[in-house]
Amino acid sequence: MQTLTIIIADDHPLFRGALSHSVRGIAEELVIIEAGDFEAARRAADDNPDADLMLLDLAMPGVSGFSGLMSLRAEFSGLPIVIVSASDDCATIRRALELGASGFISKSSGLDDIRAGIQTVLEGDIWAPKDYLAGPEEDSGLTEIIERLKTLTPQQNRVLSMLGEGLLNKQIAYELGVSEATIKAHVSAILLKLNVDSRTQAVIKLGKINMALVA
């Protein structure tokens, strides 16, 4: 009998519990791994390479907006990731799917919709809310930024997210357990890939992608 492994990454214990309840019954053998912050989510994915699915909140401690999705998508390319978020406008859904999410579930969804979304993704399809109006990004500038962000490595995504939180190179180096010279090299690569001249400009570009989350 095949065991289904699902990682639930959300910083609210009550909502993690609700999601855990919602996935009960979709498989006879089910392993649920909970993570309350981004680093715990990353470790869970690393420790469980055969996990079948991750349910990921966009607003996780330790990461800024879509940076977590981009980093996990790059590092664990074979792991389907479904975004579960209270920010469920069309722009946010579109950007999540463009950045590699296998589905998007609104936190206001009912139990049946949550289960249907999870089952759909497990079967290899993409899931979005029924009222989502698919279409191209209206802002061509944002499309370019998204494509450039998708070229960042997992570590570069983490560094960019920390830059967005206002951390200095030495603080980022300490958090990631690497040298300051390594962080400087990552920052230089980020600036090159995003086609900007300063870390401030890089953070501004990241902020444009995350704008829908705070609108």
Side-chain angles (χ1 to χ4, degrees):
M1 184 181 299
Q2 184 178 8
T3 299
L4 191 65
T5 301
I6 296 179
I7 301 170
I8 298 177
D10 192 288
D11 61 324
H12 296 289
L14 289 177
F15 195 75
R16 288 201 306 273
L19 284 177
S20 295
H21 174 71
S22 70
V23 300
R24 301 286 180 188
I26 66 174
E28 292 185 18
E29 294 289 334
L30 182 64
V31 174
I32 296 175
I33 301 165
E34 295 188 13
D37 57 44
F38 177 74
E39 188 54 37
R42 197 197 67 78
R43 285 198 307 270
D46 194 39
D47 293 342
N48 298 274
D50 295 325
D52 297 280
L53 181 71
M54 175 183 285
L55 301 176
L56 177 69
D57 184 10
L58 283 177
M60 288 280 285
V63 74
S64 174
F66 290 105
S67 299
L69 170 62
M70 291 186 289
S71 181
L72 292 170
R73 183 74 281 127
E75 189 171 359
F76 307 102
S77 59
L79 175 63
I81 298 175
V82 174
I83 295 300
V84 183
S85 178
S87 300
D88 56 3
D89 58 280
C90 286
T92 299
I93 298 171
R94 180 187 301 114
R95 289 169 197 174
L97 297 178
E98 287 177 347
L99 290 168
S102 296
F104 191 105
I105 296 173
S106 170
K107 284 192 173 182
S108 63
S109 297
L111 184 61
D112 289 342
D113 280 345
I114 293 175
R115 285 178 174 169
I118 292 171
Q119 194 63 53
T120 296
V121 173
L122 288 172
E123 292 171 357
D125 292 325
I126 301 295
W127 174 269
K130 295 176 182 177
D131 57 353
Y132 168 60
L133 300 176
E137 176 64 62
E138 296 178 358
D139 188 335
S140 59
L142 284 177
T143 299
E144 180 188 358
I145 294 173
I146 289 172
E147 291 304 312
R148 289 185 178 276
L149 286 171
K150 287 161 69 173
T151 68
L152 299 182
T153 67
Q155 194 77 325
Q156 288 167 359
N157 270 305
R158 296 177 75 188
V159 170
L160 178 57
S161 178
M162 291 178 176
L163 291 177
E165 294 171 10
L167 299 185
L168 302 174
N169 284 357
K170 61 181 180 181
Q171 293 173 310
I172 298 174
Y174 176 79
E175 291 291 334
L176 298 182
V178 298
S179 69
E180 191 171 347
T182 297
I183 298 304
K184 289 181 179 179
H186 281 315
V187 172
S188 295
I190 290 169
L191 300 185
L192 181 63
K193 288 183 176 182
L194 297 186
N195 192 30
V196 294
D197 299 321
S198 70
R199 54 197 289 153
T200 299
Q201 292 176 350
V203 170
I204 289 173
K205 289 208 170 188
L206 178 63
K208 288 182 178 179
I209 298 299
N210 290 332
M211 193 174 299
L213 300 179
V214 297

